[in-house]
Amino acid sequence: MPLDFQSFRKHILVELHHGTTQPFSASASPKSDECYAVEYVRNKKRVFCIGRALSTKASGYTDYKFLHSSASKMFDWPTRDDIDTCHESCVFYGPITIEGNGPFTIPQLTEIEQVFIWFFKTRHS
């Protein structure tokens, strides 16, 4: 079972989207070298970014290197590293599969977008 109620609610949403039961993740903390969708504030607007977890720090913080959108539904690593530290409470989906050699596609992107809308509404209403 997830460690907190918010994670449990996210899990149920994913199950409803897939129409089947899904296994629970044993760990609520992001793992290094895995990619996650992270709620982020850019230009005073809440968005989500896809980032690779680099290293986990104390108190639930993790350093992420973020992908940039290179075209509609396509992503690439920026020419300069876009690295930031985020709290695990901002992670709302993952781990994520990234396909290709650059630019990359994300098979779960539609699902991530739907979960982000739900996550944003429940967190900021």
Side-chain angles (χ1 to χ4, degrees):
M1 291 289 289
L3 301 176
D4 59 78
F5 188 69
Q6 186 174 6
S7 296
F8 181 73
R9 290 175 66 192
K10 289 180 209 174
H11 183 82
I12 289 175
L13 183 67
V14 171
E15 286 186 335
L16 290 171
H17 177 76
H18 285 284
T20 62
T21 57
Q22 302 289 315
F24 284 112
S25 171
S27 171
S29 298
K31 296 178 186 172
S32 293
D33 293 325
E34 296 276 352
C35 293
Y36 297 88
V38 180
E39 180 187 28
Y40 206 77
V41 177
R42 254 197 198 137
N43 300 325
K44 298 181 182 180
K45 182 178 177 185
R46 293 202 177 273
V47 296
F48 72 87
C49 297
I50 307 296
R52 187 179 78 220
L54 300 176
S55 61
T56 303
K57 299 180 178 186
S59 305
Y61 286 91
T62 302
D63 288 334
Y64 291 92
K65 179 177 181 178
F66 290 105
L67 287 166
H68 286 193
S69 179
S70 61
S72 177
K73 311 276 184 191
M74 301 293 285
F75 297 85
D76 215 339
W77 296 113
T79 54
R80 285 190 281 171
D81 287 346
D82 184 1
I83 297 174
D84 203 354
T85 303
C86 299
H87 192 265
E88 66 186 23
S89 65
C90 296
V91 176
F92 67 92
Y93 192 99
I96 294 171
T97 304
I98 296 178
E99 294 180 343
N101 294 321
F104 305 101
T105 58
I106 299 172
Q108 308 102 315
L109 190 58
T110 301
E111 183 176 318
I112 293 167
E113 290 167 341
Q114 292 171 345
V115 173
F116 177 69
I117 291 168
W118 171 84
F119 182 73
F120 183 82
K121 284 179 183 178
T122 59
R123 194 162 186 197
H124 302 289
S125 59

